[in-house]
């Protein structure tokens, strides 16, 4: 059966964002100021413009692969809004090299042989990102869509009324290695930096 990434993201967002926060009180600080651990493979950073929750459970099983899949949920705190462009999102690998978010064209080229079966596995091996208030309107981060199933967008707008969830794809030269990675988003007045360890 063909999978529709847009539908998966929207359904996941609806299931995720319709539930009240239950795990925030159990989040624990990390060695990075402002970044807290909400689960074994879930990290969150609540900044002045943007709240970000990163899930990397599936990425931890991808060592050696040339594509990395990350789960991401985004919203903004009360009274704030943020625009996240595709070019604002990146990874830094353990060697310090910056890896840009893949393009929709690169995603299309890798869809049949690589990404479609990978996404099927990720649908099973994932953590819920239940860390936003329940009054956010559900929306999808549509940087990527399944070929032939709609249009991708290079921007997502967040506010206190919108909570968006989606999957991010990075093509990793030489394959994914163990060690300390950093997920980043550059904003107009602040930044998101979430370090995470692969191969734990």
């Amino acid at each position: 059966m063909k999978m529709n990434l847009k539908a998966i993201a929207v359904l996941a967002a609806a299931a995720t964002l319709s539930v009240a926060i239950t795990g925030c009180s159990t989040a624990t600080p990390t060695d990075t100021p402002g970044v807290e651990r909400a689960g074994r493979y879930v990290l969150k950073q609540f900044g002045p413009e943007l709240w970000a929750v990163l899930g990397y459970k599936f990425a931890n099983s991808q060592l050696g692969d040339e594509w990395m899949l990350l789960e991401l949920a985004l919203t903004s705190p009360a009274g704030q809004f943020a625009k996240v462009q595709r070019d604002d999102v990146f990874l830094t690998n353990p060697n310090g090299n910056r890896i840009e978010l893949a393009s929709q064209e690169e995603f299309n080229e890798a869809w049949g042989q690589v990404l479609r079966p990978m996404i099927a596995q990720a649908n099973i091996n994932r953590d819920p990102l239940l860390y936003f208030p329940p009054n956010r309107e559900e929306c999808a981060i549509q940087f990527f869509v399944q070929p032939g199933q709609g249009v991708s967008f290079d921007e997502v707008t967040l506010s206190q009324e919108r909570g968006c969830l989606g999957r991010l794809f990075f093509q990793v030269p030489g394959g994914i290695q163990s060690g300390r990675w950093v997920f980043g988003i550059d904003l107009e007045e602040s930044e998101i930096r979430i370090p995470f360890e692969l191969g734990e």
Side-chain angles (χ1 to χ4, degrees):
M1 183 177 69
K2 291 185 177 180
M3 292 173 294
N4 186 321
L5 285 182
K6 179 178 178 181
I8 290 171
V10 171
L11 289 173
T16 297
L17 299 173
S18 63
V19 179
I21 296 178
T22 58
C24 285
S25 62
T26 62
T28 57
T30 66
D31 59 2
T32 302
V35 177
E36 295 184 327
R37 181 168 299 282
R40 182 175 180 184
Y41 300 110
V42 179
L43 294 163
K44 64 188 182 78
Q45 182 178 1
F46 285 5
E49 294 181 86
L50 190 68
W51 291 357
V53 181
L54 181 72
Y56 62 99
K57 183 177 182 179
F58 185 71
N60 196 56
S61 70
Q62 292 184 270
L63 296 181
D65 293 353
E66 294 185 353
W67 282 84
M68 183 186 294
L69 182 157
L70 295 172
E71 307 266 3
L72 182 67
L74 298 173
T75 191
S76 287
Q80 298 294 320
F81 71 92
K83 289 185 178 180
V84 178
Q85 307 273 352
R86 177 188 293 272
D87 292 343
D88 297 335
V89 182
F90 65 94
L91 286 176
T92 302
N93 71 10
N95 295 326
N97 298 319
R98 181 176 171 124
I99 301 172
E100 305 293 340
L101 192 65
S103 67
Q104 177 67 44
E105 291 74 18
E106 291 168 332
F107 179 89
N108 290 346
E109 291 174 3
W111 170 254
Q113 295 294 321
V114 178
L115 296 181
R116 184 174 180 178
M118 187 176 82
I119 290 168
Q121 296 176 22
N123 288 339
I124 301 170
N125 188 18
R126 65 189 303 185
D127 286 320
L129 306 182
L130 308 176
Y131 299 95
F132 294 155
N135 60 343
R136 263 60 172 174
E137 177 185 353
E138 305 93 15
C139 58
I141 301 170
Q142 289 184 235
F143 289 145
F144 301 96
V145 295
Q146 176 183 334
Q149 297 296 320
V151 179
S152 63
F153 295 94
D154 290 333
E155 179 182 285
V156 59
T157 301
L158 291 311
S159 71
Q160 66 180 26
E161 299 174 348
R162 287 166 54 85
C164 299
L165 186 141
R167 286 173 168 170
L168 304 180
F169 297 86
F170 298 87
Q171 192 167 12
V172 180
I176 299 169
Q177 57 185 296
S178 60
R180 186 179 179 92
W181 295 70
V182 178
F183 171 76
I185 302 176
D186 288 331
L187 301 166
E188 288 188 9
E189 299 180 5
S190 62
E191 63 183 27
I192 294 293
R193 296 290 187 272
I194 304 179
F196 61 100
E197 293 282 340
L198 296 183
E200 294 180 307

